[in-house]
Amino acid sequence: MAEIVHDFFPLMRVYKDGRIERLAGEGFVPPESDRETGVQIKDVHIDPQINLSARLYLPKNVDPVQKIPLFVYFHGGGFVIESAFSPTYHKYLSVVAAEAKVAIVSVNYRLAPEYPLPIAYEDSWLALKWVTSHANGDGHEPWLKDNADFNRVYLGGDSAGGNIAHHIGIRLGLEKLEGVKIDGIFLACPFFWGKDPIDGEGENLLAKDFVEDLVLSGNPNSTGLDPIDGEGENLGAKDLFEKLWLFVNPNSSGLDDPLINPEKDPKLSGLGCEKVVVYVAGKDPLRFRGFYYKEVLEKSGWPGTVEVVEVKDKGHVFHLFVPETEEAMAMLKKLVSFLNQS
């Protein structure tokens, strides 16, 4: 059996011979209109030289006179798996586009370890600049030129994508994009962490529990996990998150890097939007960081408003794995309201 040097089950494994095995997020759905919602879908190349692309969603029966909000989305997957073209995000964003009557750009940034951080952030920023180039007529994508209201732009993402959306918001506060107004940011179970435990985090947060919950959420019929030789029962979630973070960002200073710990970011007060909504899940070890994010953002002097919504008895990014549940539908309704608040 080939020797494993990095094991991030159920996301990916890296073998001693250099082979990378992605265990999830490899599915691909063609860019075809969604039959259930009638949403039109297409893929676009933003920068072919670096393989930067995106999937666009446009709801049916758009009034050419009445511009609609624009939602720029960054997918999750720990910076190592998933894409804008996977079945999970294809279906989820089709429903969001239909229910909220918004245009969506789902960014397909490059993944670690082949492209370590900060490449995902740079790709996402380039994608946003491409999107906003249509505000002054420089862009050539008709779905954006003809339909998007660039005074009602929102950012969003889940897990690692939530982390990206936040940092794109920070960069917007530093580098203004002409002709564009970012109204808000929607973060679902965002991937934030830190070196020192905060209230609620303790030694009882086990990596095994977090991983097993991910597996059961994605496959409700699974019987769970059986540890293999060498796997212990006591690996903490903190150790797992630190290991993953340093794997995707090998030049990072650690868990107090501002890219993973917003509290350590001196630019936090300049977040470039007016409203933030954060969703956390009651069985997710990351939930405490979601609440803490609200606390440090408010203390930073940022003038906007931030709201945290907790969903009890659900795991990390539950709304993607079980979208038909009452809690997931409530999140969808909240997101629709958020995207139509202007």
Side-chain angles (χ1 to χ4, degrees), residues 274-333:
E274 298 175 354
K275 310 176 193 72
V276 177
V277 170
V278 182
Y279 257 77
V280 298
K283 294 173 65 178
D284 184 359
L286 295 172
R287 68 190 183 278
F288 304 108
R289 292 287 163 174
F291 286 109
Y292 195 55
Y293 174 78
K294 177 179 186 293
E295 181 181 329
V296 299
L297 189 55
E298 290 176 335
K299 287 182 178 179
S300 73
W302 175 66
T305 59
V306 54
E307 175 187 3
V308 176
V309 180
E310 182 177 19
V311 178
K312 303 290 186 182
D313 301 321
K314 294 296 179 184
H316 189 64
V317 296
F318 66 94
H319 62 296
L320 298 175
F321 293 128
V322 283
E324 71 282 353
T325 61
E326 180 181 347
E327 294 85 357
M329 295 303 294
M331 179 192 282
L332 175 63
K333 185 177 179 180

Side-chain angles (χ1 to χ4, degrees), residues 58 62-68 134 141-150:
L58 189 68
V62 177
D63 184 347
V65 177
Q66 185 69 39
K67 304 278 186 169
I68 58 176
H134 295 80
E141 172 48 53
W143 283 13
L144 297 179
K145 286 201 315 182
D146 298 342
N147 300 288
D149 183 347
F150 289 96

Side-chain angles (χ1 to χ4, degrees), residues 12 19 35 49 70 79 113 115 120 132 169 179 228 244 246 262 267 283 292 311-312 314 330:
M12 73 178 304
R19 181 167 59 93
R35 293 181 180 179
Q49 290 187 329
L70 176 62
F79 299 104
Y115 302 98
T132 57
I228 61 176
L244 178 60
L246 292 176
K267 304 182 293 292
K283 294 173 65 178
Y292 195 55
V311 178
K312 303 290 186 182
K314 294 296 179 184

